[in-house]
Amino acid sequence: MSSLEPGSFLADLTPAEREDLTGRGRVREFGRGDVLFVEGDTPDWVAVLLKGRVKAFSYREQGGETLLAVRGPGALLGEVGAIDGLPRSASVTALEPVRALAVTADEFMAFLQTHGRVSILIMRILCQRWRDADRKRAEFGMFDATGRVAQRLVELAERYGVPYRAGPEGEARSVRITLNLSQEELAGWVGASREAVSKALRTLRAHGWIETGRRRLIVHDLQALRRHAR
C-alpha cells in the first residue's frame, strides 16, 4: 500500500476498522485515464484509494471539464451517493495507475452501522471539502487567473512536492511537483481558459518562481508563490 495522505479516511481508521472494511470489499486495478465513476450514474459502490491519484470533475455545458479535486492514497470516493442514494455528482478518472478497495454501497452502509465512530470521520471529511469548496468559490471574485494558478501550484507543491536536486552542489530550495496535470486540467481547476493559464504560467516563469517542461513542474520560490497567492 502506498503511503497514505495525512488526514485521509483510511489513515484515520483504527486497525480493527480497516480490517473489517477490507474484508467487505475487493481490490481493483485501474490504469491511467481509466474511469472509476461517471457523473449521473447509480452509486452502487464506493472506493478507497490504496495507491495512485485520481481527479474528480464535472463536464461544463459549454464543453471541457471543471476539475473539482485531486485525491490520493487513503481517500474515500463515492460515499455521498452511497449514503443519500442519489446519482453521482461527479466523474472520477485515474491520473496514474491506481489500486482501490471497491466496496458495494450496501456493504459500506453496513460498515457504518457497525462502526458509528466512522460516521463522525466522514462528517469531518465532508466539512473539510465544503470549506475548501467555499474558499475556492471566494477566490474567483478575489484573484485573477495568475493568482488562482499560483494558489493551485502552492497546493500541489505542499501536497505532492518533493525536494529537487539542482546539481552536485547539493539540495536546492526548489520543489518538484510529482503530480502531472495538463494545462487543460489546470485550467479546469482554476476556472479559466487554457490560454489564460498558459499566460499565467509564462508570467510565473518570467519571475523565476517556477520552471515547466514536458511532464515537469518545478517550483523554485514557494514563498514568492504564496505571497502572490495571498
Side-chain angles (χ1 to χ4, degrees), residues 190-206:
V190 302
S193 67
R194 186 181 183 278
E195 291 74 18
V197 167
S198 180
K199 180 180 179 181
L201 292 174
R202 285 199 303 271
T203 299
L204 299 176
R205 284 198 302 268

Side-chain angles (χ1 to χ4, degrees), residues 39 56-61 63-68 88-92 188:
E39 185 175 0
F57 64 95
S58 291
Y59 289 106
R60 302 173 184 164
E61 290 185 4
E65 300 175 358
T66 297
L67 198 155
L68 304 174
R88 298 203 186 278
S89 59
S91 297
V92 175

Side-chain angles (χ1 to χ4, degrees), residues 31-158:
R32 174 178 169 82
D34 284 353
V35 177
L36 283 73
F37 300 145
V38 175
E39 185 175 0
D41 275 2
T42 301
D44 51 0
W45 66 287
V46 303
V48 181
L49 291 184
L50 305 177
K51 173 187 175 183
R53 292 167 289 200
V54 302
K55 66 175 181 178
F57 64 95
S58 291
Y59 289 106
R60 302 173 184 164
E61 290 185 4
Q62 64 272 31
E65 300 175 358
T66 297
L67 198 155
L68 304 174
V70 174
R71 305 289 183 214
L76 176 65
L77 307 169
E79 76 285 354
V80 173
I83 292 171
D84 66 15
L86 297 176
R88 298 203 186 278
S89 59
S91 297
V92 175
T93 61
L95 289 169
E96 56 196 26
V98 162
R99 180 181 301 119
L101 177 69
V103 183
T104 66
D106 289 342
E107 281 290 347
F108 181 70
M109 293 305 295
F111 172 74
L112 294 185
Q113 290 168 359
T114 302
H115 304 278
R117 189 190 75 91
V118 179
S119 296
I120 303 297
L121 293 181
I122 291 177
M123 289 174 61
R124 289 175 179 168
I125 290 172
L126 293 177
C127 287
Q128 291 170 357
R129 292 179 184 176
W130 289 330
R131 289 178 183 272
D132 183 63
D134 286 342
R135 177 176 58 83
K136 285 185 170 63
R137 278 194 292 270
E139 290 172 359
F140 285 101
M142 297 170 60
F143 301 99
D144 60 9
T146 303
R148 298 200 300 273
V149 168
Q151 287 169 325
R152 295 292 76 76
L153 294 183
V154 168
E155 180 178 344
L156 290 172
E158 291 174 343

